[in-house]
Amino acid sequence: MKKVFLSVLFCLIINSLRGENFRFALLTDLHVSGDSLAYNDLRKSVEQINKTKDIDFVIVSGDVTEEGDRASLKRVKSLLDLLKMKYYITSGNHETKWSESGATDFGHIFGSDRFKFEYNGILFLGFNSGPVIRMADGHVSPQDISWMKKELATFGKDKPVILVTHYPLQEGDVDNWYDVTDAVRQYNIRAFLGGHYHRNLLFNYDGIPGIICRSNLRGKEKVGGYSVFEVTPDSLLVYEQKIGNEPEKWASYSLRKSYYNSDDSGYKRPDYSINKEYDKVKELWIVKTAAGIYSSPVIYNKNVYVGDDLGFLSCYSLSSGKKMWEFKSGNRIVGTPAASNGVVVFGSADKKIYGVNAKTGKLCWEYTAKEAVLGAVTIDNGIAYIGASDHTFRAIDVKTGKLRWEYTDVKGYIETRPLIYEGKVIFGAWDNNLYALDKESGRELWKWNGNLTRMHFSPAAVWPVAANGKVFITDPQRAMTAIDANSGKTIWRTFQSTVRETIGLSADKMRLYSKTMQDSVVCFSTEGNVPKQIWATDVKFGYEHAPSMLVEKDGVVFGSTKSGVVFALEAFSGKLLWKHKVGNSLISTVVPLSATECVFTSTSGEVGILKQSSYKR
């Protein structure tokens, strides 16, 4: 009897150490919108999961909507709330790139875009992998990396961990993948789980197993589906579960085998060799903040003003980079501020427009909108012009914060910097339209649509420019367009250079500049009624789709890329002068100080100045 008791006790101890088998479902890439097909695919998945025995919990790994809008997020939640077991959810790029709330609605509706829980001795961590508002590669923010490191350190090095992101953690998908893998490789990471590619794939992220799962959408099949994971004391087994069918195992990983070690020296890292090739360019100073930065810097009275992802507007000395003060808003700052009359004006995702004293950082005034304020600011003659996500564009007195006028017939949300030209204020929105309003009254003068067929083709991220009676834009349909400034009629539209959302104007207003989506910068004439290319330069920056504008100063054109590169070209010839790689993440529109200096910000949280030590024209 004693032997039987000891045998049973031994088995109980072993089982408690090893943990019992458990199963969970993973849903990803739901892409719910007004379209009933995606909604029905999710509904059927929820119904089948509820009928399946032994599903202990559900993980949802992003792209739960098509356009990141509040209505679609609520529709998804209404279905997920029907699950009989707990679910844990994080966001995807469709919730962060296209988001009327500045990617804040997701957290408000689901509680957070991070999750943390422990099940049968395994820690699960899920977090956003971007990008936020700006079109770029995926990106894990500095604050999310800090959170993840803290949670892992608390859990311990030997216990098993499963990490969940939307994007694959590899080059070409997430620009700072190596920051994540380096941060976690000293821990017992068993796998990264995710989606994004809409099909079942196995990767390794610097040696760490990566499991990418099918979309919930039916695609070309008659039914949709999801993934089921079975965790045993020895293995992680992965099944594809099509609606109405039996699950099919397609992958497995050992939970005992070591797939990687703490040494990262054998894995690819960003290449900074161009900095040796153009060694006359130096970093005068760089401040590494603790938050992502999605707006461009503003220079005013020998200071640099920067808004960040934690909601801070910070003031730095232009000469040294020393922080002078900071002002905290209630949520992330996405739009680029503007400064005039001793006041810095900016919008926040907390639904407010702020006027802050440029010297002291003290609040001068605030104006409350109905939704997030993501638009960049333009100030002209003491009036700040800014758009918000409440379908409203406003003109506000810079000194008092009083509303001068508002236009309430915008159909989409606004993130662009408005253009002031010939008595008009001109801006795009995420509704396919470019608007022209009377600058003094806010009365609508015209709207341009260009027969764009999808919201994602909107001229909404580009900062419009104008010359010779024409307004010039580029849009995600990969076209450059000239529009009559008086009538809103299309003068010409060309797809020849496959540009996207970047445009710049020369100081003499005779030339347009734009990045193509592969390696080159092109220059077009602003004159005439047909597109005329003047030059094209192969800058060799690779595939490029970031909405950072090109800016000319003293005969030099400055530009930047999604992969951390700032470059300079001669304005008249297009000759490449230099390139410098600051990091591996998006550099927003830079601010030139002279022909040899520029101020930059990056999504990885850097603010700094680059200077070319020798330049002769």
Side-chain angles (χ1 to χ4, degrees), residues 105-116:
D105 272 346
F106 191 94
H108 293 153
I109 291 169
F110 291 105
S112 177
D113 62 356
R114 298 172 180 163
F115 62 76
K116 176 193 73 170

Side-chain angles (χ1 to χ4, degrees), residues 220-275:
K220 296 180 180 179
E221 302 170 323
K222 293 182 179 180
V223 294
Y226 52 92
S227 301
V228 174
F229 287 76
E230 182 178 0
V231 181
T232 75
D234 302 300
S235 303
L236 180 66
L237 311 175
V238 193
Y239 299 82
E240 179 176 3
Q241 177 67 74
K242 295 179 182 178
I243 301 301
N245 295 354
E246 292 296 316
E248 297 180 5
K249 188 174 78 171
W250 66 273
S252 62
Y253 277 102
S254 170
L255 291 180
R256 296 185 178 276
K257 178 181 176 180
S258 297
Y259 290 96
Y260 65 95
N261 56 45
S262 59
D263 181 14
D264 65 356
S265 60
Y267 300 106
K268 186 176 181 180
R269 292 294 181 261
D271 181 5
Y272 289 83
S273 60
I274 61 170
N275 293 352

Side-chain angles (χ1 to χ4, degrees), residues 114-128:
R114 298 172 180 163
F115 62 76
K116 176 193 73 170
F117 68 98
E118 185 179 343
Y119 198 90
N120 274 26
I122 298 178
L123 178 67
F124 290 79
L125 297 178
F127 49 93
N128 170 41

Side-chain angles (χ1 to χ4, degrees), residues 167-178 181 197 202-206 212:
Y167 275 105
L169 264 295
Q170 61 182 2
E171 183 184 20
D173 288 307
V174 174
D175 56 30
N176 62 336
W177 83 92
Y178 52 92
T181 60
Y197 281 145
L202 295 179
F203 290 125
N204 80 79
Y205 309 144
D206 295 344
I212 296 301

Side-chain angles (χ1 to χ4, degrees), residues 11 17 46 116 119 165 180 186 198 211 240 250 297 328 417 534 574 586 601:
C11 290
L17 290 173
V46 168
K116 176 193 73 170
Y119 198 90
T165 62
V180 180
Q186 61 180 303
H198 290 220
I211 304 172
E240 179 176 3
W250 66 273
K328 180 73 167 68
R417 186 174 76 176
I534 298 173
L586 169 67
T601 56

Side-chain angles (χ1 to χ4, degrees), residues 3 6 98 126 145 161 164-165 187 234 248 251 299 314 327 363 378 408 445 488 497 507 533 557 567 592 611:
K3 288 183 179 180
L6 290 175
W98 297 282
I145 293 176
V161 179
V164 181
T165 62
Y187 298 95
D234 302 300
E248 297 180 5
I299 312 302
S314 298
F327 173 87
L363 179 67
T378 295
T408 59
L445 300 176
S497 298
Q533 183 174 302
V557 180
F567 58 86
K611 180 177 176 61

Side-chain angles (χ1 to χ4, degrees), residues 168-411:
L169 264 295
Q170 61 182 2
E171 183 184 20
D173 288 307
V174 174
D175 56 30
N176 62 336
W177 83 92
Y178 52 92
D179 286 334
V180 180
T181 60
D182 285 351
V184 306
R185 65 187 309 107
Q186 61 180 303
Y187 298 95
N188 184 16
I189 311 300
R190 301 319 308 175
F192 278 88
L193 312 183
H196 190 61
Y197 281 145
H198 290 220
R199 60 188 187 275
N200 298 322
L201 295 167
L202 295 179
F203 290 125
N204 80 79
Y205 309 144
D206 295 344
I208 304 171
I211 304 172
I212 296 301
C213 298
R214 62 156 295 155
S215 167
N216 189 70
L217 299 173
R218 66 188 66 187
K220 296 180 180 179
E221 302 170 323
K222 293 182 179 180
V223 294
Y226 52 92
S227 301
V228 174
F229 287 76
E230 182 178 0
V231 181
T232 75
D234 302 300
S235 303
L236 180 66
L237 311 175
V238 193
Y239 299 82
E240 179 176 3
Q241 177 67 74
K242 295 179 182 178
I243 301 301
N245 295 354
E246 292 296 316
E248 297 180 5
K249 188 174 78 171
W250 66 273
S252 62
Y253 277 102
S254 170
L255 291 180
R256 296 185 178 276
K257 178 181 176 180
S258 297
Y259 290 96
Y260 65 95
N261 56 45
S262 59
D263 181 14
D264 65 356
S265 60
Y267 300 106
K268 186 176 181 180
R269 292 294 181 261
D271 181 5
Y272 289 83
S273 60
I274 61 170
N275 293 352
K276 294 181 179 179
E277 182 179 354
Y278 299 97
D279 59 1
K280 300 298 183 183
V281 179
K282 305 297 181 184
E283 299 168 0
L284 292 188
W285 58 258
I286 289 184
V287 175
K288 295 182 180 294
T289 72
I293 300 173
Y294 305 112
S295 64
S296 293
V298 174
I299 312 302
Y300 180 69
N301 285 349
K302 300 182 180 180
N303 287 323
V304 183
Y305 300 89
V306 178
D308 69 32
D309 196 33
L310 294 179
F312 286 96
L313 178 75
S314 298
C315 173
Y316 301 93
S317 166
L318 183 60
S319 61
S320 67
K322 178 183 177 182
K323 182 182 282 190
M324 310 302 290
W325 54 257
E326 64 182 19
F327 173 87
K328 180 73 167 68
S329 72
N331 215 311
R332 64 166 43 105
I333 300 169
V334 173
T336 297
S340 180
N341 299 318
V343 179
V344 185
V345 181
F346 67 96
S348 169
D350 68 1
K351 305 181 182 180
K352 292 182 180 180
I353 302 166
Y354 292 91
V356 175
N357 186 289
K359 287 185 178 181
T360 66
K362 300 297 183 182
L363 179 67
C364 298
W365 52 262
E366 63 182 41
Y367 181 94
T368 301
K370 297 181 183 68
E371 298 292 346
V373 185
L374 310 180
V377 184
T378 295
I379 296 177
D380 184 69
N381 290 329
I383 304 298
Y385 298 90
I386 183 171
S389 295
D390 55 3
H391 309 292
T392 302
F393 189 90
R394 295 175 172 89
I396 296 176
D397 188 281
V398 169
K399 288 186 177 180
T400 67
K402 292 183 178 180
L403 182 70
R404 287 293 188 93
W405 55 257
E406 62 182 10
Y407 171 81
T408 59
D409 288 335
V410 183
K411 304 304 179 186

